[in-house]
Amino acid sequence: MSAATTTTTAANPIQCDIDLGADGKHIGFLRLPHSVHRSAYGWLPIPIASIRNGEGPVVLVSAGTHGDEYEGQIIVSRLIREIDPAMVKGQLILMPMANAPAAEAGLRTSPLDDGNLNRLYPGNPQGTPSQVIAHYIEHTLLARAQYMIDLHSGGTSLVYDGANMMGLEPRDAEEEARVTGLLKAFGLPRAFLYQPNPVNVTAAARRQGAICFLTELGGGGGVDAALVEQGRHGLLHLLGYIGLLHGALVPAAPPATARLMQIDRKLHYVYAMDDGVHEPLVGLGAVVRKGDPAALVHFPAHPKREPETVYFPGDGEVICKRAIAMVKRGDCIFQLASERRAKV
C-alpha cells in the first residue's frame, strides 16, 4: 500500500486501556480488534505509555513505524523505564512499536495487510489494520499533541550516514525560526527539510497543528549503540528545551551542531533501472556532482552483458545508500542532500 485512504466520520475501533488524561505513569496497550481463525473476538496489542504531570506541552514519541528499524524501539522502551512523572511538566505519550504487527515480524510493512504506516495517513477507521492505526495516531493522539518525534532508521534495505533528522520545510518566517530552534536543540549532525507528502506522518502532524520530526539513525538491519545513544541524547535535550522534561536526565547541551540541509525529490535520489546486482562507486559522505557515476548494475544471469552505469541526477552529499546488493528496477541505491538556504 502506498497511498492514504479517505478518512470517514466513523469512530475508530481502537480502544486504549490506559487513561491518557490521568496524571502519573501508565503503561498498557491500544487494542485493535482483529478477528481471525485462531481468535474470533481477538485484538492486536500495540504498546503505549503515558507519563503526565499537570499542564504543559504534550509530546508523542513513536518508533516501530517500520518494523525492521530497531534503534528507535530501543530508545522509546528505555524512556518508558527511565522517566518518572516528577521529571515531567506536561505529557509524554510513548509508542515503542507503532505498527506492532510489522515490528513483531521484523518487517518494514505489516504482514497482515502489507501496510507501510508512514504512507497511509490520514488513514481509515474502517480499513485494514495499518490504516486504522494511522487514523488513530492522526485523529486521536496527534490531535492532543503539540509535538511528535517519530524515530526511524534505514531499516533492512538502507543505511544512513550516522544520526540524522528530517522535517517539513517551514511555511513562513515565524515557523522558520521555531523549526530551526527545535532542530538545533535536538542536535543530530544533519537536519534535512523537505516538501510535505500528504500520506506521511509529518503532514498528518501539520494537519493537526503539531510539529513532527523524524530521525534516521543508521540502519542495515542492525543496531549501532553509539547512534542509539546519540538519538536518545538529542531527544532528551529537545524535551528539556521545550520545557517538558526537567532534572538530571536532561543533557547540558545537544549532542552535535546540526547542519541544515535539504532534500530534492527529483535530484537527490538514484534508482536502479534494471534488475541485477549493484556495485556502488562511492560511499556515505561522498560529495558528488550531477552526471558523476554512482553505481554499476551487473547481470550475472547474462554474463555476456556489460554492466550498466547509473549516474547521479544532481549535486549533493551522499547521506544514504542501499544495504542490499541485489536490485530491481525502481529500487533506490543512493539518497543525496545539499546545503540549505532559507526560503522564507
Side-chain angles (χ1 to χ4, degrees), residues 1-26:
M1 297 178 182
S2 58
T5 54
T6 303
T7 186
T8 74
T9 56
N12 193 292
I14 290 177
Q15 298 295 316
C16 184
D17 67 11
I18 62 174
D19 183 355
L20 294 175
D23 278 357
K25 181 189 286 192
H26 306 278

Side-chain angles (χ1 to χ4, degrees), residues 93-181:
I93 301 171
L94 299 148
M95 299 179 68
M97 300 168 70
N99 197 349
E104 289 173 359
L107 299 173
R108 178 175 177 83
T109 58
S110 172
L112 302 180
D113 55 15
D114 203 29
N116 179 343
L117 183 56
N118 205 28
R119 303 293 186 274
L120 291 174
Y121 291 95
N124 183 348
Q126 296 178 315
T128 67
S130 299
Q131 293 169 344
V132 174
I133 294 169
H135 184 272
Y136 187 87
I137 290 173
E138 176 165 347
H139 297 279
T140 299
L141 299 180
L142 276 170
R144 64 191 298 145
Q146 290 80 56
Y147 305 95
M148 180 177 183
I149 308 299
D150 194 23
L151 300 171
H152 289 255
S153 74
T156 304
S157 68
L158 298 171
V159 179
Y160 274 86
D161 188 10
N164 309 275
M165 302 171 285
M166 290 189 176
L168 295 183
E169 276 284 355
R171 294 165 290 187
D172 53 41
E174 180 180 356
E175 191 170 76
E176 170 94 13
R178 187 180 180 199
V179 166
T180 299

Side-chain angles (χ1 to χ4, degrees), residues 2-3 19 31 38 46 64 81 132 152 180 212 220 240 242 257 283 285 294 305 330 332:
S2 58
D19 183 355
R31 302 185 179 197
R38 58 162 292 275
I46 303 169
R81 298 191 301 271
V132 174
H152 289 255
T180 299
C212 177
I242 64 175
T257 299
R305 182 178 175 184
C332 181

Side-chain angles (χ1 to χ4, degrees), residues 315-337:
D315 302 345
E317 181 178 320
V318 177
I319 61 168
C320 180
K321 69 176 184 178
R322 182 168 173 82
I324 302 170
M326 184 178 289
V327 291
K328 290 186 175 294
R329 183 181 293 115
D331 285 344
C332 181
I333 297 176
F334 288 111
Q335 183 184 18
L336 306 178

Side-chain angles (χ1 to χ4, degrees), residues 34-57:
H34 189 59
S35 179
V36 292
H37 175 73
R38 58 162 292 275
S39 183
Y41 299 146
W43 48 271
L44 299 175
I46 303 169
I48 188 169
S50 170
I51 306 172
R52 188 177 187 275
N53 185 13
E55 298 300 317

Side-chain angles (χ1 to χ4, degrees), residues 4-327:
T5 54
T6 303
T7 186
T8 74
T9 56
N12 193 292
I14 290 177
Q15 298 295 316
C16 184
D17 67 11
I18 62 174
D19 183 355
L20 294 175
D23 278 357
K25 181 189 286 192
H26 306 278
I27 303 171
F29 297 100
L30 302 177
R31 302 185 179 197
L32 171 57
H34 189 59
S35 179
V36 292
H37 175 73
R38 58 162 292 275
S39 183
Y41 299 146
W43 48 271
L44 299 175
I46 303 169
I48 188 169
S50 170
I51 306 172
R52 188 177 187 275
N53 185 13
E55 298 300 317
V58 178
V59 180
L60 173 61
V61 181
S62 59
T65 289
H66 298 132
D68 63 342
E69 300 174 5
Y70 304 110
E71 294 83 350
Q73 297 181 51
I74 293 171
I75 292 170
V76 176
S77 298
R78 186 171 172 185
L79 294 185
I80 292 171
R81 298 191 301 271
E82 290 179 328
I83 297 176
D84 292 323
M87 305 173 183
V88 168
K89 184 177 181 182
Q91 184 179 20
L92 265 177
I93 301 171
L94 299 148
M95 299 179 68
M97 300 168 70
N99 197 349
E104 289 173 359
L107 299 173
R108 178 175 177 83
T109 58
S110 172
L112 302 180
D113 55 15
D114 203 29
N116 179 343
L117 183 56
N118 205 28
R119 303 293 186 274
L120 291 174
Y121 291 95
N124 183 348
Q126 296 178 315
T128 67
S130 299
Q131 293 169 344
V132 174
I133 294 169
H135 184 272
Y136 187 87
I137 290 173
E138 176 165 347
H139 297 279
T140 299
L141 299 180
L142 276 170
R144 64 191 298 145
Q146 290 80 56
Y147 305 95
M148 180 177 183
I149 308 299
D150 194 23
L151 300 171
H152 289 255
S153 74
T156 304
S157 68
L158 298 171
V159 179
Y160 274 86
D161 188 10
N164 309 275
M165 302 171 285
M166 290 189 176
L168 295 183
E169 276 284 355
R171 294 165 290 187
D172 53 41
E174 180 180 356
E175 191 170 76
E176 170 94 13
R178 187 180 180 199
V179 166
T180 299
L182 291 165
L183 288 170
K184 290 181 177 179
F186 205 132
L188 299 186
R190 299 179 192 83
F192 312 123
L193 294 167
Y194 58 90
Q195 294 299 320
N197 181 342
V199 299
N200 291 163
V201 71
T202 46
R206 179 172 279 183
R207 287 192 290 267
Q208 297 297 326
I211 290 179
C212 177
F213 296 132
L214 276 59
T215 66
E216 294 289 0
L217 305 171
V223 173
D224 184 322
L227 294 180
V228 170
E229 184 52 37
Q230 200 169 15
R232 173 181 170 275
H233 181 156
L235 178 54
L236 290 173
H237 190 266
L238 176 68
L239 295 177
Y241 174 83
I242 64 175
L244 184 143
L245 189 64
H246 307 271
L249 272 184
V250 180
T257 299
R259 290 172 60 202
L260 296 181
M261 307 182 76
Q262 61 191 23
I263 296 173
D264 186 296
R265 294 186 188 278
K266 293 182 179 179
L267 299 179
H268 284 160
Y269 292 86
V270 177
Y271 295 101
M273 297 307 295
D274 209 340
D275 300 359
V277 176
H278 90 283
E279 176 188 354
L281 300 178
V282 300
L284 291 172
V287 176
V288 301
R289 305 287 293 180
K290 179 180 178 180
D292 285 351
L296 297 174
V297 177
H298 298 269
F299 309 101
H302 305 280
K304 291 183 179 181
R305 182 178 175 184
E306 293 291 332
E308 292 186 0
T309 304
V310 181
Y311 299 92
F312 288 105
D315 302 345
E317 181 178 320
V318 177
I319 61 168
C320 180
K321 69 176 184 178
R322 182 168 173 82
I324 302 170
M326 184 178 289
V327 291

